Structure formats: C-alpha cells, structure tokens
Amino acid sequence: MQSAISATAVLAGVWFGASLAGRREEKRERQRIEKESSYLAILVIAHLDRLANDCVDVALDDGTSEGRPAGRDGDYHMATTSTPKFEPLSLEVEWKVLPADLMYGILNLPYQIEQLDNRVSGIWEHDDPPDYTQTFWARRLGFARLGREASDLAVQLRKHAGLPAAPAAEGEWNRDECMREQIEKIESARKAYEARWAASNLGDLEEIAT
C-alpha cells in the first residue's frame, strides 16, 4: 500500500511539474506573440499610412499642372505622380502572428497595385488624346479605393495590436474623407458622361431610322 501511494505521489508530481512547465511555455509564447504583434503593427502601420498618402496624390492627379495639361508644351494630359509602391515582404516582421484575413489583406496589396496599374495601361492604349479622360478616371478612382483599403487595414491592425487610434484633429484635412470625396466626384462625372454618350448614340440611331 505504501509503495502504491509513493508511486501515485511521484506521478502526480511529474504531472504537476509538466503542467507548470507547459503553462510557463504558453505564457512565454503569448508574450512573444504580443511583442511581435506590437512591433509588426507599429512598423506596418507606418507603411500603410504612407501608401494611403501616396494614393491620395494619385487620386488628385488629373493630368494637369498649374491648371494646364502636364504633357509637353501643354499639348496633352499626363500623370504627374508615380504608381505608389508597397513592399511588405521586405519588412523584417513575423507575419504569422496576424490573423489570416488581416495578413492576406496586407500582403495582397502589392498584387492589387500591379493589377490596377496594368488595367490603367490597357485603358490608356485605347483612350482618346489629348485628355485621356477614361485613363485618368480609372487611375484616380482605382487608387482612391485602394488608399481607403490601406487606411482601413491600418485601423484593423491598430485594433488587433491594442494600439490607440490615430488622432483626428477637428477642422484639419482628413485623408480618408478626401479619398471618399474623390470617389464620389469621379463616379458622378463618369456616370454623367456615360449618360450623355448613351443619349447621343440613341439620337444617332433615331436619326438613321428616320
């Protein structure tokens, strides 16, 4: 009986020691993830904000400079801003500490930029000079939307890492509001153009019919 009790005590001691070691390891792992998450968030948020700011510049670029077409001798509209760059994989952070959806949203941004740039180039090839209206609408609208997405991801990252929200100064320029206004403005202009185009074509068909 005594030997059985001793064996039970030894097994209980081993189990308790293993359990205690496991809890210590879990605690260390939680602390590591929290530390990695905070560092990642602080670094990546700065790059997301920079991307959003660059997208604002593109969203405001209508191909003019000082009120005149920016092309040579003012003959045609030309972009005055470069395609924004975002290279998250160049950052030395532990991406695996993020939830899958948040990690995917951030790491997918370079592909979205590439796809948007290619689409704009395709529109430009068939657009009408000197204004290249369709090209600039697509470029400005696309990057305004992408900038909003980058800004939203920065907000989500702040929440995930438990960081304070970016302060919003009352009465000062608001980046997200600026992009929202550009989206509405461009969508409205494009819809009006499409309506005029449709009405013009209908008029031509009616004239041919008579």
Side-chain angles (χ1 to χ4, degrees), residues 179-196:
M179 286 188 286
R180 184 191 65 78
E181 290 175 354
Q182 289 303 309
I183 291 171
E184 291 180 355
K185 178 181 177 181
I186 297 165
E187 286 180 338
S188 177
R190 189 161 63 179
K191 286 178 181 178
Y193 170 85
E194 290 171 352
R196 290 195 301 271

Side-chain angles (χ1 to χ4, degrees), residues 156-172:
Q156 294 177 43
L157 194 49
R158 282 189 175 90
K159 290 180 179 178
H160 172 73
L163 298 174
E170 186 175 350
E172 290 188 5

